[in-house]
Amino acid sequence: MRPISGFSKLTKNEKINYIVQNYLNNSNIAKNTIKSFWHEDESSQKILDEFSENTITNFAFPYGVVPNVLINNKMYCVPMVIEESSVVAAAAKSAKFWLDRGGFQAEIVDVKKVGQVHFIWNGNPEDLENLFINSKTQLIEKVKPLCLNMEKRGGGLLDLKLINKTDLEEGYFQIWADFNTCDAMGANFINSVLEALGQEFKLITESELNQELQVIMAILSNYTPDCLVKVWVECPIEELNDPSFGMSPEEFADKFARAVRIAKIDTNRATTHNKGIFNGIDSVILATGNDFRAVEACGHTFAARDGQYRGLTNCSLENGQFRFELELPLSIGTVGGLTALHPMAKTTLDILGNPDAKDLMKITATIGLAQNFSALRSLVTTGIQKGHMKMHLMNILNHLEANEEEREAAKLNFEDKVISFQLVREFIGSIRNYQ
Amino acid sequence: MRPISGFSKLTKNEKINYIVQNYLNNSNIAKNTIKSFWHEDESSQKILDEFSENTITNFAFPYGVVPNVLINNKMYCVPMVIEESSVVAAAAKSAKFWLDRGGFQAEIVDVKKVGQVHFIWNGNPEDLENLFINSKTQLIEKVKPLCLNMEKRGGGLLDLKLINKTDLEEGYFQIWADFNTCDAMGANFINSVLEALGQEFKLITESELNQELQVIMAILSNYTPDCLVKVWVECPIEELNDPSFGMSPEEFADKFARAVRIAKIDTNRATTHNKGIFNGIDSVILATGNDFRAVEACGHTFAARDGQYRGLTNCSLENGQFRFELELPLSIGTVGGLTALHPMAKTTLDILGNPDAKDLMKITATIGLAQNFSALRSLVTTGIQKGHMKMHLMNILNHLEANEEEREAAKLNFEDKVISFQLVREFIGSIRNYQ
């Protein structure tokens, strides 16, 4: 196939025609499928189209809701956008379970954002460090006009430092900047300030120290370990008494805590453990028009912060109390970006009572924790294996060469009990002794 | 607000009414917005609804396409689903740039998937290890029926081993299983086999060694470092000669390679660097109905595999040759899941020529690399800073106290040149000397 020139300048219909002719065997059915996902209202569709480029239609993701989510004693109905089955059901099940046990607790640890100017300077590091200290006020003054709006809202540039990385790469330094971006994710604000800082410091350095400073790039960091939210559930262990567990509260708590520990010590399990947490997190991120790639990249970097990739949740069983907690960096916004522009993102924020960024961090993290609770609950009880338990019993009975009468008695007896080899052997043994 | 019971059993309209009444001030506009995103065809909407639970409508994401993507000499038009602006445009720009330089090369390194049975056994480890070796054939026989279909397609259970993790947690062992799942992502297949393996080994162990074996969980691992694709571009450095770079090919190559190295050595930069790669990756994952949480969790764990979270791409400049490469684990499917069920996921696969899983890995990784190339290209040239360059020149001229005549001459001279303090000072100096 020959390349096409000027594709981006074609109209939407021309783009569709090009694709259908060249890649879809000129199929009218395909063309109609593509167009069938357009929004009924042309101006609404135009808004969606303009979020991206070369757009020809929409990809529709299921938009569901989880009722009864009690966070810090406030009841939320949380929209979730997710294509994977069972995620919304799991969150709903978890929300209901904890509703009866005091709900979720959440708090913001900090909301610091980060940006870096990466540059190369091959002069004397001490000269540069002294110059940086002496010109800090000038640098801050320089970006003052860019910060005015953010400062009015209570945020702005928080701190500025020079970092010497020459041990890692010849001449490599950073200007490191901390920001508070209030209810915005803040990427544009941060990048503008960083670029101005880089240009100004280049100017000052080249003028004062007479040696070239090469700015490689000036850009925010998506790794924001100090933009952190903590959410947890807790209750007396004895209240973990759901009949579906098929085991005592103590055994459940013990097995659950062990599954959490396994995700802490085994990287292969940690990846899947955290993937489940992000099933919940991302569904809220998507529903609110936030950027899930930023949230994922940050969360997983955080999971690897001590040199091993680990599970993000913690579970403790102390003094008869079960406590399950998630601490996670979440740099998200409730203003800017798509949040007000996408009709369904806006509707999500309305349903959530138009939270500020901090409250949205709490809600999002809560759904992540709820998701992980449900996943582990299923994994350590009969959930994911339930369909296989009957088969398991049959296996044991085959192994014990049980007769028809013993089989029927065992099926009846173990219908609502946990099945283990010992228990079944003991049960069959007691029948045989009796006879 | 009081909790609601039986929400999941309400009809879709009843769910919407509950939300509108309780969370949206009974607004008819809100209700209409929600319903306006329904698919025009009821049966198509029903399919979308059933992907998840408690669904009330769809969330529409822009569906765009990137033409002219040349991979291993085959021309693709790649659909991308993404809400962030500039991502599709960046991929298109990159595709065009490399089209003129031989296109993208891609190869599959391996396609191994992973699953684990996590269990606790407090007996003598040697006894367990011997028992495992002796019962390996029996375990494989046991799951044979579950593997038949996959074996027919060329895949199946590849290997089985016992891992002693008791140094990390008392009594903690794993059965580790490797799989080939052909064109399926394979989660259901893997989980079924693992559950059966866990049950059978529990049975064997408790029967033979007379001590309880507690299966904590049996589940696939989303971390699949051996399900790996490699994609790269290369050309003589002198061909990196785009006029928009505003610098020589050598300078561009050097700055670009440095930006890649910085993402290797600085975690804060690595997170953002990889986030950009996943902008590309995820947009294809979304468009094909694959699971982006799985892909993200795996890729970021891989980025942290040596103990520090690092950038995923590599760049080399050797013997005058520029080479830029991405190696990334991608466990994705072209059969199963949403791939055939979601009309637009199916359309995506049609547009891509119905690739097998390996080809889809190549296409997806290519868009990730294309994305990273465009992001770095912008960052290290005038891209993200372009709007600020004029301001930068003004700053320098102010600093040099240039007069009106000098300013005009400088603006004209630097219109299409890189602006640096030295260059501007030299230029102004030459005017002043001349006068």
Side-chain angles (χ1 to χ4, degrees):
Chain A
M1 193 157 309
R2 284 169 50 195
I4 177 170
S5 287
F7 181 80
S8 67
K9 289 181 193 73
L10 300 180
T11 66
K12 186 152 75 171
N13 274 312
E14 288 168 343
K15 289 190 179 94
I16 292 174
N17 287 338
Y18 167 81
I19 291 163
V20 171
Q21 279 161 24
N22 289 282
Y23 292 92
L24 295 171
N25 299 318
N26 234 335
S27 156
N28 254 319
I29 297 172
K31 191 191 279 193
N32 290 337
T33 298
I34 292 171
K35 292 187 177 183
S36 74
F37 281 89
W38 287 357
H39 193 280
E40 59 185 21
D41 174 53
E42 207 176 315
S43 69
S44 295
Q45 184 56 46
K46 205 167 143 52
I47 292 171
L48 299 171
D49 287 344
E50 288 176 355
F51 290 144
S52 182
E53 302 84 32
N54 286 352
T55 44
I56 58 170
T57 187
N58 310 309
F59 195 104
F61 283 89
Y63 182 104
V65 293
V66 177
N68 302 327
V69 184
L70 190 67
I71 307 172
N72 295 349
N73 284 318
K74 187 172 169 187
M75 188 75 89
Y76 290 94
C77 179
V78 183
M80 296 174 72
V81 171
I82 188 95
E83 90 295 346
E84 186 178 347
S85 65
S86 303
V87 173
V88 171
K93 199 174 172 186
S94 197
K96 185 70 180 59
F97 183 88
W98 286 104
L99 177 66
D100 299 334
R101 290 159 181 84
F104 296 85
Q105 306 297 320
E107 66 180 39
I108 300 299
V109 180
D110 202 348
V111 292
K112 209 183 275 174
K113 313 285 174 85
V114 174
Q116 299 166 296
V117 181
H118 306 268
F119 67 88
I120 302 296
W121 193 74
N122 286 307
N124 181 346
E126 250 179 63
D127 292 347
L128 192 75
E129 279 149 20
N130 287 332
L131 179 64
F132 182 81
I133 290 165
N134 292 332
S135 43
K136 207 163 157 179
T137 316
Q138 187 181 338
L139 289 170
I140 291 169
E141 266 314 302
K142 184 72 199 175
V143 297
K144 202 99 196 160
L146 296 171
C147 297
L148 276 182
N149 273 334
M150 197 56 87
E151 281 171 4
K152 267 182 209 154
R153 286 145 62 190
L157 175 62
L158 300 179
D159 194 20
L160 217 51
K161 58 190 174 210
L162 182 74
I163 299 181
N164 182 334
K165 295 250 174 185
T166 51
D167 55 327
L168 296 171
E169 166 92 6
E170 204 186 330
Y172 174 30
F173 291 83
Q174 294 173 359
I175 297 175
W176 177 289
D178 291 321
F179 298 89
N180 176 348
T181 60
C182 304
D183 290 329
M185 196 272 199
N188 281 336
F189 163 66
I190 292 175
N191 288 335
S192 300
V193 170
L194 291 170
E195 285 173 352
L197 286 171
Q199 284 163 23
E200 183 69 9
F201 192 58
K202 178 180 167 70
L203 186 69
I204 294 170
T205 306
E206 294 182 348
S207 154
E208 298 291 323
L209 301 179
N210 249 312
Q211 188 160 350
E212 195 200 354
L213 183 157
Q214 187 188 37
V215 174
I216 302 291
M217 51 198 163
I219 187 163
L220 94 165
S221 170
N222 288 115
Y223 184 44
T224 54
D226 292 320
C227 186
L228 198 64
V229 58
K230 185 157 83 174
V231 51
W232 67 96
V233 287
E234 56 184 332
C235 73
I237 290 174
E238 63 199 35
E239 288 181 16
L240 298 170
N241 55 357
D242 197 280
S244 77
F245 292 171
M247 60 184 82
S248 71
E250 291 71 25
E251 193 183 345
F252 174 80
D254 186 62
K255 233 175 147 183
F256 188 97
R258 218 190 277 264
V260 175
R261 280 205 303 279
I262 286 175
K264 282 281 177 200
I265 59 186
D266 183 75
T267 293
N268 271 84
R269 173 55 198 156
T271 306
T272 312
H273 181 94
N274 291 344
K275 190 272 185 195
I277 294 172
F278 281 100
N279 276 346
I281 301 279
D282 289 343
S283 66
V284 182
I285 295 295
L286 288 169
T288 55
N290 273 283
D291 180 335
F292 68 85
R293 281 89 54 212
V295 164
E296 287 262 1
C298 181
H300 292 293
T301 305
F302 188 71
R305 68 194 179 281
D306 75 357
Q308 184 183 329
Y309 184 89
R310 300 182 192 276
L312 287 163
T313 47
N314 286 300
C315 183
S316 67
L317 311 174
E318 278 164 28
N319 307 318
Q321 191 78 354
F322 173 89
R323 184 184 159 102
F324 181 46
E325 182 181 295
L326 169 65
E327 203 171 23
L328 181 82
L330 274 178
S331 174
I332 55 181
T334 53
V335 301
L338 257 63
T339 48
L341 298 176
H342 194 302
M344 285 311 301
K346 192 178 171 311
T347 301
T348 299
L349 292 173
D350 286 342
I351 294 174
L352 293 174
N354 291 301
D356 60 15
K358 288 180 180 176
D359 280 341
L360 186 58
M361 288 165 74
K362 293 177 191 170
I363 295 165
T364 307
T366 293
I367 298 299
L369 185 71
Q371 203 59 41
N372 195 223
F373 180 79
S374 268
L376 294 178
R377 167 189 171 153
S378 284
L379 280 169
V380 305
T381 62
T382 54
I384 207 171
Q385 295 176 308
K386 205 169 190 174
H388 296 270
M389 287 313 278
K390 212 182 273 179
M391 196 177 80
H392 186 38
L393 178 59
M394 292 306 118
N395 285 342
I396 298 174
L397 293 172
N398 286 339
H399 195 89
L400 297 172
E401 299 179 0
N403 64 29
E404 208 47 45
E405 201 186 332
E406 290 165 352
R407 279 166 194 275
E408 284 313 307
K411 270 196 252 180
L412 204 65
N413 183 67
F414 285 98
E415 204 168 29
D416 56 354
K417 290 195 187 66
V418 183
I419 294 161
S420 82
F421 189 83
Q422 272 102 326
L423 290 173
V424 178
R425 181 160 59 184
E426 278 165 33
F427 177 74
I428 297 294
S430 72
I431 296 181
R432 288 176 182 172
N433 283 337
Y434 184 73
Q435 284 168 337
Chain B
M1 193 159 310
R2 286 169 49 195
I4 178 171
S5 288
F7 181 80
S8 66
K9 289 178 192 78
L10 299 180
T11 65
K12 185 152 77 171
N13 275 312
E14 287 168 345
K15 288 190 181 93
I16 292 173
N17 286 339
Y18 167 81
I19 292 162
V20 172
Q21 277 161 25
N22 288 282
Y23 291 92
L24 295 170
N25 300 318
N26 235 334
S27 155
N28 254 320
I29 297 173
K31 191 191 278 193
N32 290 337
T33 299
I34 292 170
K35 293 187 176 184
S36 75
F37 281 90
W38 287 357
H39 193 279
E40 57 186 21
D41 174 51
E42 207 176 315
S43 69
S44 295
Q45 183 56 46
K46 206 167 143 50
I47 292 171
L48 300 172
D49 286 344
E50 287 175 357
F51 290 144
S52 183
E53 301 85 32
N54 286 352
T55 43
I56 58 171
T57 187
N58 310 308
F59 195 104
F61 283 89
Y63 182 106
V65 292
V66 178
N68 302 328
V69 183
L70 189 67
I71 307 173
N72 295 347
N73 283 319
K74 187 173 169 188
M75 188 75 89
Y76 290 93
C77 179
V78 183
M80 297 174 71
V81 171
I82 188 93
E83 91 294 345
E84 185 178 346
S85 65
S86 303
V87 172
V88 172
K93 199 173 172 187
S94 198
K96 185 71 179 57
F97 184 88
W98 287 105
L99 176 67
D100 300 335
R101 290 161 182 84
F104 296 85
Q105 306 297 318
E107 66 181 37
I108 299 298
V109 180
D110 202 349
V111 292
K112 207 182 280 175
K113 313 285 174 87
V114 175
Q116 299 166 295
V117 182
H118 306 267
F119 67 88
I120 301 296
W121 193 73
N122 286 308
N124 180 343
E126 250 179 61
D127 293 346
L128 192 75
E129 279 151 20
N130 288 330
L131 180 65
F132 182 81
I133 291 166
N134 292 330
S135 43
K136 206 164 157 178
T137 318
Q138 188 181 336
L139 288 170
I140 291 169
E141 267 314 302
K142 184 70 199 176
V143 296
K144 201 101 195 158
L146 295 171
C147 296
L148 276 182
N149 273 335
M150 198 56 89
E151 282 171 5
K152 268 183 211 154
R153 286 146 61 190
L157 175 61
L158 300 179
D159 194 20
L160 217 52
K161 58 190 175 208
L162 182 74
I163 299 180
N164 182 332
K165 293 249 174 186
T166 51
D167 57 325
L168 295 172
E169 166 91 5
E170 204 186 332
Y172 174 32
F173 291 83
Q174 294 173 0
I175 298 175
W176 177 290
D178 290 323
F179 299 89
N180 176 347
T181 61
C182 304
D183 290 330
M185 197 270 198
N188 282 335
F189 163 67
I190 292 175
N191 288 334
S192 300
V193 171
L194 292 171
E195 285 173 353
L197 286 172
Q199 283 164 24
E200 184 69 8
F201 192 57
K202 177 180 169 69
L203 186 67
I204 294 170
T205 306
E206 294 182 350
S207 155
E208 297 291 323
L209 301 179
N210 249 312
Q211 187 161 351
E212 194 199 353
L213 183 158
Q214 188 188 36
V215 175
I216 301 290
M217 51 195 164
I219 187 163
L220 93 167
S221 170
N222 288 116
Y223 184 45
T224 55
D226 292 320
C227 187
L228 197 64
V229 57
K230 184 156 83 173
V231 52
W232 68 96
V233 287
E234 56 184 332
C235 73
I237 290 174
E238 65 199 32
E239 287 181 16
L240 297 170
N241 55 357
D242 198 279
S244 76
F245 292 172
M247 59 184 81
S248 72
E250 291 70 27
E251 192 183 347
F252 174 80
D254 186 64
K255 233 176 148 183
F256 189 96
R258 218 191 276 264
V260 175
R261 281 205 303 280
I262 286 175
K264 282 279 176 203
I265 58 185
D266 183 74
T267 293
N268 270 82
R269 173 56 199 156
T271 307
T272 311
H273 181 95
N274 291 344
K275 189 274 184 192
I277 294 172
F278 281 101
N279 277 346
I281 301 279
D282 289 342
S283 65
V284 183
I285 295 296
L286 288 169
T288 56
N290 273 284
D291 180 335
F292 68 84
R293 281 87 56 210
V295 165
E296 286 263 1
C298 182
H300 292 294
T301 305
F302 188 72
R305 68 195 179 282
D306 75 357
Q308 182 183 330
Y309 184 92
R310 300 182 189 277
L312 286 163
T313 47
N314 287 298
C315 182
S316 69
L317 312 174
E318 279 163 28
N319 307 318
Q321 190 78 355
F322 173 89
R323 183 184 160 104
F324 181 46
E325 181 182 293
L326 168 65
E327 203 172 19
L328 181 81
L330 274 179
S331 174
I332 55 181
T334 53
V335 300
L338 256 64
T339 48
L341 298 176
H342 194 300
M344 284 312 300
K346 191 178 171 311
T347 302
T348 299
L349 292 174
D350 287 342
I351 294 174
L352 293 175
N354 291 300
D356 59 15
K358 288 179 181 178
D359 280 341
L360 186 57
M361 287 166 73
K362 293 176 191 170
I363 296 164
T364 306
T366 294
I367 299 298
L369 185 72
Q371 204 60 39
N372 195 223
F373 180 78
S374 266
L376 294 178
R377 169 189 170 151
S378 283
L379 279 168
V380 306
T381 62
T382 53
I384 207 171
Q385 295 175 309
K386 206 169 188 173
H388 296 270
M389 288 313 279
K390 210 182 273 178
M391 195 178 83
H392 184 40
L393 177 59
M394 291 307 118
N395 286 341
I396 298 173
L397 294 171
N398 285 340
H399 195 89
L400 297 172
E401 299 179 356
N403 63 31
E404 209 47 46
E405 202 185 333
E406 290 165 348
R407 279 166 193 274
E408 284 311 309
K411 270 195 256 181
L412 202 65
N413 183 66
F414 287 97
E415 201 167 30
D416 56 351
K417 289 197 189 68
V418 184
I419 294 160
S420 82
F421 188 82
Q422 273 103 326
L423 290 172
V424 179
R425 182 162 55 186
E426 278 165 34
F427 178 74
I428 298 294
S430 72
I431 297 180
R432 288 178 182 170
N433 284 336
Y434 185 73
Q435 287 169 333

